Amino acid sequence: MSPLEEGTAVWIQCSVNVWRPGIVARPISGQHAMASDAVCVEVTNSAGELEQIHVPLHSRKGKQNVHLRNAVSDEISDNDCSADLSKLPMLHEPGVLHALQKRFEQGLVYTLSGPVLLAVNPFRHVPDLYSQAQLVTFADRLEEELPAVPHVFAVARAAYQGIWHRGLHQTVLVSGESGAG
């Protein structure tokens, strides 16, 4: 089975939303999309109606216009693969942006990408994000009892453990937009 056959869930480039979800309706030429230059993708337009769009597989500059979609649910939690982007089956721009957006919509501002903690500004107060109870969750437990959720307190705990218990030098890099925090 070719990866871009009829019924395949994909992301296509969009001038408004950067990437938008769609379903391959059919390859434009050849028997399989991998042998063609374009695919016909079914998408939902702004009016909520289905429409078909012909999408070239690559832009004139050679950039990929169509990416396979990860099976990331709309119900995101800290226990699924979106909590650590390195665990996504297909790690590409639309997959990362979708996972971050879904986590943001659920009020989950922290996401891991391997050992790197990403924080997305929630633009609102998130209750208990930095509460005493949340701090105790990370500070007063044995390492094997720690929750496997992304949080800045987990980064601080790991750095502290590295200095205090292992005697290792630690570096915590904080980066962001000017005025972000």
Side-chain angles (χ1 to χ4, degrees), residues 21-22 24 36 57 68 79 89 103 117 122 126 134 175:
V24 173
S36 69
L57 294 179
L68 295 175
N79 298 319
R103 291 181 62 75
L117 180 70
V126 179
Q134 188 75 284
S175 178

Side-chain angles (χ1 to χ4, degrees), residues 68-89:
L68 295 175
R69 266 195 285 163
N70 288 305
V72 175
S73 168
D74 286 341
E75 292 301 317
I76 300 296
S77 74
D78 274 326
N79 298 319
D80 66 15
C81 66
S82 72
D84 186 345
L85 299 175
S86 69
K87 295 180 180 173
L88 288 173

Side-chain angles (χ1 to χ4, degrees), residues 4 24 26-30 32-41 54-58 66:
L4 292 178
V24 173
R26 67 184 182 285
I28 301 294
S29 62
H32 296 287
M34 295 310 279
S36 69
D37 297 85
V39 289
C40 182
V41 178
H54 292 206
V55 182
L57 294 179
H58 295 90
V66 181

